[in-house]
């Protein structure tokens, strides 16, 4: 059963860390792109908006789903702890508490991934809106 706990632990937490690196990588790329971008080179607002929002859905998806992925790891860890207690007949408080503490680690990691991702998404969305507002100020509002 210890190998199952490791799979849950490393699988869920590893996936969350992968999502975190992916979000940060996309955010850094977007920030670099925003600094170099000249909004006035675009003929339409829609073209500019498409360019500005590329990849932001990954950061938003990470921010909104990381807590659920962490919760899934916690639920699986708690289920495994209870299963082990039921199979082995353990009533040892130490074993139960260690199992539950390890399970809760997944939720903590999920939140640690979600919160910065949410902040990054909102910051990048704000920067994109600033670029769109700049374009609109120079081109006038485009009629759809």
């Amino acid at each position: 059963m210890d190998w199952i706990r490791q799979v849950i632990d490393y699988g869920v937490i590893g996936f969350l860390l992968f999502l975190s690196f992916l979000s940060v990588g996309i955010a850094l790329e977007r920030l670099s792109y925003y600094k170099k971008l000249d909004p006035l080179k675009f003929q339409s607002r829609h073209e500019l908006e498409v360019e500005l929002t590329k990849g932001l859905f990954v950061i938003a998806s990470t921010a909104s789903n990381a807590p659920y992925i962490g919760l899934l790891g916690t639920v699986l860890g708690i289920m495994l702890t209870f299963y082990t207690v039921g199979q082995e007949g353990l009533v040892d408080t130490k074993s139960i508490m260690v199992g539950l503490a390890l399970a809760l680690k997944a939720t903590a990691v999920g939140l640690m991934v979600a919160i910065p991702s949410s902040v990054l998404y909102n910051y990048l969305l704000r920067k994109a809106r600033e670029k769109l507002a700049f374009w609109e100020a120079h081109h006038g509002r485009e009629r759809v």
Side-chain angles (χ1 to χ4, degrees):
M1 283 302 166
D2 197 42
W3 68 273
I4 295 175
R5 179 173 284 136
Q6 289 178 349
V7 168
I8 292 170
D9 229 13
Y10 295 125
V12 170
I13 291 174
F15 184 61
L16 286 167
L17 292 176
F18 167 74
L19 289 176
S20 179
F21 287 125
L22 187 64
S23 290
V24 169
I26 290 171
L28 291 174
E29 184 276 329
R30 292 281 81 194
L31 284 172
S32 172
Y33 179 74
Y34 290 172
K35 285 183 181 182
K36 297 175 190 172
L37 179 72
D38 180 11
L40 300 178
K41 290 183 179 179
F42 290 86
Q43 296 301 316
S44 87
R45 181 187 189 282
H46 297 292
E47 289 176 27
L48 176 60
E49 189 171 9
V50 166
E51 283 299 312
L52 288 171
T53 58
K54 281 184 180 175
L56 293 186
F57 74 95
V58 175
I59 300 170
S61 295
T62 298
S64 61
N65 290 306
Y68 296 119
I69 296 167
L71 184 60
L72 174 64
T74 296
V75 169
L76 292 174
I78 289 171
M79 286 173 50
L80 180 62
T81 299
F82 287 148
Y83 179 80
T84 303
V85 168
Q87 285 294 103
E88 297 177 7
L90 291 174
V91 189
D92 180 24
T93 308
K94 180 182 177 185
S95 298
I96 295 171
M97 290 302 131
V98 167
L100 296 178
L102 290 174
L104 290 170
K105 179 172 57 173
T107 296
V109 172
L111 291 171
M112 289 170 44
V113 169
I115 293 168
S117 294
S118 179
V119 170
L120 285 171
Y121 174 74
N122 288 323
Y123 180 75
L124 290 169
L125 196 59
R126 173 68 184 149
K127 288 292 184 187
R129 287 181 180 156
E130 287 174 4
K131 296 281 186 187
L132 285 168
F134 180 79
W135 185 92
E136 287 175 352
H138 285 25
H139 285 84
R141 235 190 199 332
E142 185 177 291
R143 303 253 190 291
V144 180

